[in-house]
Amino acid sequence: MRFLNVHHARETVGRLVLALNGESPEPGQLPQAYRRVISLMRAIGAPESGVRVSVKGDPWGRHLVENRVFENIFEGLGDTPEQQMAEWCRDVDAAFGYTRDLLPDLGDLVDLVVTDVVLFSSKNKGGGSASHIPGLVSMSPGDEWAVHDFAESLVHEAVHLNVFLADMAYRLYTRPTVELEAEEFRVLSAVKFGELRPLDKAFHSAVVAPPLMLMQARRGETELVDKFRGSLRECTDGLLDKIDLFTPYGQLLVRELREFTDSYDMDLVADSVSGERFAHYEMPAVA
């Protein structure tokens, strides 16, 4: 599954940097080149290195609230006690380390694509990311979240961000995403049982499942596989039924995802993250 592969993510970023900046960075300079490029797309530039953690009163927090970027998360938005925020910041930092320790290449993927985490207190718990703000993850932690919950939220949003980057580099769909809102192009969601969602959103609901299932399996849990096995299969059925709405690259990703739902083989997920066979995509020649 190329959308999880760290080598493919580096290739994707390299292509974007070349297309947007006209430079072909050396491997060691790729993270810095990525940050320069995405800074051109965002209201606030990316930090030169590391991850910047922001809160509601910081520039990113104010920008997201004022522009209603994550309205679904911001229901019941409130203030966060200073001690709670300090604990959350420590948990976010620990979540990056947890992911690296659990699966080093998955940690490298997260380290590459995530530059900012914005923390909020709100009624709705969970994370958010947006195609027009590469590098940024919004998070409203649950009251009982442990470090592994922060890590899974981080990975969830990092995969979304990585797929947004792939869409920029290779194109996933044959129609603009606004057209995919039409009823005729809707597909059953992988996580919202029985709900038809626009094709791109249904696809995104499915691609985040394999790495989270692997993370749970590594700590001896099967909750996600047990809960979403049927709905994830139904979602891929719907995606295959509308495969003509995907570009050749998008069709490849859908079929790789379907291979996973045929087996729920966690070794396949681990190989998808690290394996060289998922690393490269040959762009079709321009006629």
Side-chain angles (χ1 to χ4, degrees), residues 89-134:
C89 289
R90 287 194 294 271
D91 286 337
V92 167
D93 183 63
F96 280 92
Y98 175 94
T99 306
R100 293 185 205 106
D101 291 343
L102 189 71
L103 205 64
D105 282 337
L106 184 60
D108 285 349
L109 175 64
V110 173
D111 288 342
L112 175 63
V113 301
V114 177
T115 65
D116 292 85
V117 175
V118 190
L119 296 167
F120 294 94
S121 290
S122 67
K123 178 181 176 181
N124 290 339
K125 308 302 181 184
S129 51
S131 60
H132 66 288
I133 314 179

Side-chain angles (χ1 to χ4, degrees), residues 26-244:
E26 295 295 323
Q29 297 302 311
L30 190 65
Q32 293 79 10
Y34 164 71
R35 287 163 185 259
R36 288 194 296 272
V37 163
I38 67 171
S39 293
L40 302 174
M41 308 176 194
R42 312 183 338 169
I44 301 170
E48 292 185 3
S49 63
V51 175
R52 176 173 50 206
V53 179
S54 304
V55 298
K56 187 176 72 170
D58 293 333
W60 262 127
R62 295 197 303 272
H63 175 83
L64 296 178
V65 173
E66 291 168 3
N67 290 277
R68 301 180 178 181
V69 177
F70 300 115
E71 264 192 307
N72 59 318
I73 300 173
F74 293 160
E75 182 183 352
L77 190 64
D79 294 325
T80 307
E82 188 173 333
Q83 181 178 348
Q84 177 72 83
M85 188 59 70
E87 291 175 0
W88 283 352
C89 289
R90 287 194 294 271
D91 286 337
V92 167
D93 183 63
F96 280 92
Y98 175 94
T99 306
R100 293 185 205 106
D101 291 343
L102 189 71
L103 205 64
D105 282 337
L106 184 60
D108 285 349
L109 175 64
V110 173
D111 288 342
L112 175 63
V113 301
V114 177
T115 65
D116 292 85
V117 175
V118 190
L119 296 167
F120 294 94
S121 290
S122 67
K123 178 181 176 181
N124 290 339
K125 308 302 181 184
S129 51
S131 60
H132 66 288
I133 314 179
L136 184 138
V137 170
S138 173
M139 201 179 292
S140 178
D143 296 335
E144 304 300 323
W145 277 21
V147 168
H148 67 256
D149 296 301
F150 283 87
E152 288 175 13
S153 182
L154 191 61
V155 168
H156 179 134
E157 302 307 333
V159 173
H160 283 316
L161 291 173
N162 194 41
V163 172
F164 292 142
L165 294 173
D167 195 15
M168 292 180 202
Y170 313 107
R171 292 188 62 235
L172 284 168
Y173 316 104
T174 58
R175 294 172 178 260
T177 53
V178 66
E179 293 185 16
L180 300 178
E181 298 278 345
E183 289 295 328
E184 64 187 295
F185 302 139
R186 292 184 173 238
V187 172
L188 282 171
S189 170
V191 294
K192 297 184 178 180
F193 299 123
E195 181 178 328
L196 290 169
R197 302 193 72 193
L199 184 82
D200 58 316
K201 293 181 174 60
F203 178 66
H204 269 268
S205 77
V207 296
V208 298
L212 302 185
M213 290 175 174
L214 175 62
M215 292 176 79
Q216 287 201 353
R218 288 289 173 97
R219 53 173 210 274
E221 295 185 15
T222 63
E223 177 189 359
L224 284 177
V225 173
D226 296 341
K227 187 174 182 179
F228 296 114
R229 178 188 296 269
S231 62
L232 187 56
R233 178 67 182 234
E234 287 181 338
C235 181
T236 57
D237 283 343
L239 296 172
L240 287 169
D241 284 344
K242 293 180 170 55
I243 198 71
D244 59 309

